[in-house]
Amino acid sequence: MNAKGDLIARALSLGLGAPEFEVSSDGPPHQRTFHVTVRIGGEPLGEGGSGRSRKDAERAAADSALRVLDGEPMADTEEVHDEAPTGRWPIYAGVLEAALETATEFADEDASLDDVRRDAGRLYRELLLDLGHGPDPL
């Protein structure tokens, strides 16, 4: 799996624009740790990622961003979940686009981008379940 490539392709297919990978590092040159934040439209998407190489940190950040696009909340978000089937949900761009448009349309004026994304993910899962589709087993 190429998480970074998958994220770029999915973001572009959804009309979100190309994700930006913001990289920082710390530590001495021989023990550098890289930290990456994925941003779409200037807003962070996911929890970011860290690694011993820039490539590992970008992969971890892209994985986190993909999970958000799949409707999974970020770790620091406390949320009550309906018991939805687990696994990797298929991506149907048209259905996901409709879920994003609907979530945006019905979002409160003070809703954050992450709130809209979570609502869109929930709507997407519900639409797929209503259509008889569920996640692929892991």
Side-chain angles (χ1 to χ4, degrees):
M1 179 176 153
N2 175 3
K4 185 176 178 183
D6 291 349
L7 174 63
I8 292 168
R10 182 150 352 139
L12 291 174
S13 73
L14 295 173
L16 301 174
E20 298 172 5
F21 293 79
E22 187 176 280
V23 181
S24 63
S25 63
D26 57 31
H30 65 283
Q31 280 187 312
R32 194 78 59 208
T33 299
F34 291 87
H35 308 280
V36 175
T37 301
V38 175
R39 294 185 182 278
I40 294 182
E43 295 290 326
L45 180 65
E47 300 169 5
S50 297
R52 301 292 298 149
S53 71
R54 179 181 178 142
K55 185 176 180 177
D56 288 343
E58 286 178 341
R59 183 181 306 120
D63 280 336
S64 175
L66 284 167
R67 285 193 305 274
V68 170
L69 288 178
D70 286 340
E72 296 178 26
M74 293 190 298
D76 63 350
T77 305
E78 293 182 22
E79 186 175 323
V80 176
H81 297 282
D82 296 332
E83 289 299 318
T86 58
R88 186 157 182 84
W89 289 84
I91 301 301
Y92 300 110
V95 177
L96 188 53
E97 180 181 9
L100 284 166
E101 288 175 4
T102 302
T104 301
E105 182 179 334
F106 289 102
D108 293 331
E109 287 184 27
D110 61 341
S112 71
L113 186 56
D114 285 331
D115 292 336
V116 174
R117 287 182 183 131
R118 275 190 296 278
D119 288 344
R122 182 184 47 77
L123 287 169
Y124 181 74
R125 287 189 310 269
E126 290 174 2
L127 283 168
L128 288 184
L129 288 172
D130 287 348
L131 294 170
H133 298 274
D136 298 327
L138 294 175

